[in-house]
Amino acid sequence: MSPALPRVLSIAGTDPSGGAGIHADLKSIAAAGGYGMAVTTSLVAQNTQGVREIHTPPLSFLTAQLDAVFDDVDVDAVKIGMLGDAATVDVVRGYLAAKRPPWIVLDPVMVSTSGNRLLDEDAECALREFVRDVDVVTPNIPELAVLCDTDPAEDFPGAVKQARLLAAETGTSVVVKAGHLTTAEAGNALVSADGHAHTVSAPRHDTSCTHGTGCSLSSALATRLAETGDADLALEWVTGWLNEAIEHAHRLEVGHGHGPIDHGHRARRLARAADTTPWRHLTGPMPSGEAPESLVFATDRTAPTPHVAPAGPWTAALWAATGDIWTEIMNLPLITGLQMGSLREDSFTFYLDQDAHYLDEYARALAALAVRAPDTGDRIAWAQNAVGCIMGEAELHRAWLADRERIGGPSPITSAYTDFLRANTLGEDYVVGAAAVLPCFWLYVEIGLALAEHNHAEHPYHAWLTEYAAEEFVAETRAAVERVERALAAASPDQRARAARAYLSACVHEREFFDQADRFGM
């Protein structure tokens, strides 16, 4: 019977300020879904501003710690960090050769990111030999140069070339970290012994909070290797998680130097996504619906001025109520990734796959509105929109998904949204159904127009960004807003109140739909 979590051991030094060493390793292992253990090689008095003093316990105590773990626990993976000297390297190397856990990841703490050598010549030689005994080595750019006995690479292709030489010589996979360079790209590559390089893209963030990134990457990688057994998949997960931890690290406000990363940011974000607290607009009193201002549910943030203007006071009230949801959507990883062009292809493929399922049902919802609309012109317009979903937008999806693996069915998030739309277009008054389908027009086009400012011919998702900022879609959205305005103006107060709730619920479903792409497979 397999354990519930990978059991991962960190062999490294300490950091009492919590940002690096075994302290960062244990946080990273937990974040990556493992059970963390730690054997201490050195006691380091350090913080975000630097190292003050190092105390290295006797090697006999290091062996005693290792015995205490391996005599009692089946270890699935080991991450090795600071070893300090040749004698320590020899003890750890010999011990792990005898025990040989399934995965060993070595973070060769040899050179600081500022370029200072941290080991003497004997220790460097011992560590070079140790590389041959592990599964993956994760050097920074200066350390990669030392392991290759050459000058540091000046760019990512140069570093990958060095990694190929090291991997071929040692038979060990090498992680190349662009974060130690100065380019806009800050992703990683896994170079195998056969020379294959699997590259995972990530954007660079303008932050000084990078203390402990090497420790965190290697320990999280060891955990994901033990969990998945697939080095490429492990690197993809770790790169995304670490990039998010760096992006939001400044909010921790820990220390006055190079602050630590936020190891727990993704876990907290996913916990918020799983929160079952009822949506705020459904817990308060029902609005009266007597006047437009009565439909404006309280928000903490003001909605931006839309490119597609409201068609009157009723739709103006609906847009005013979207301030919080709009801000939340624009901060989602899917949207920021599309904006920067750094979104992983598998995330975008999952999103388009789900959007294809969604459009099938959305077309049915629009067709239902076409049947129920009181005005002939509105019936024709909704029907034309339904045809457009099938013939126009869906074709873009089919082209992208033709040679890519699809998930095979709608996700729970997608199903919840489409079930909501069909329930409101088939089981509610016409005005309620019309309000429910509006966010897919209005929010979508506003997001598309905002992203279009970052679109260019070389953007990896250029075709999609172009489609949803096209004048044709803008015109269709403008017409849909006008139809909803007329429907609200002609409705009773009770119908308006229910329509406003349906509109906001659809907006939240939109937010969840965008958010799910980054949660897939976690």
Side-chain angles (χ1 to χ4, degrees), residues 376-398:
T376 300
D378 290 351
R379 286 197 294 271
I380 293 172
W382 291 123
Q384 289 174 334
N385 292 148
V387 171
C389 283
I390 299 170
M391 301 299 293
E393 295 177 74
E395 181 57 37
L396 179 65
H397 293 62
R398 283 190 289 269

Side-chain angles (χ1 to χ4, degrees), residues 344-365:
R344 295 203 328 261
E345 184 177 302
D346 61 339
S347 293
F348 186 70
T349 299
F350 175 83
Y351 163 74
L352 275 194
D353 180 46
Q354 291 306 304
D355 204 35
H357 291 297
Y358 170 84
L359 286 173
D360 287 342
E361 296 301 322
Y362 189 60
R364 292 184 172 92

Side-chain angles (χ1 to χ4, degrees), residues 189-202:
L190 180 76
V191 180
S192 304
D194 61 5
H196 172 71
H198 179 69
T199 301
V200 185
S201 179

Side-chain angles (χ1 to χ4, degrees), residues 170 289 305:
T170 62
T305 301

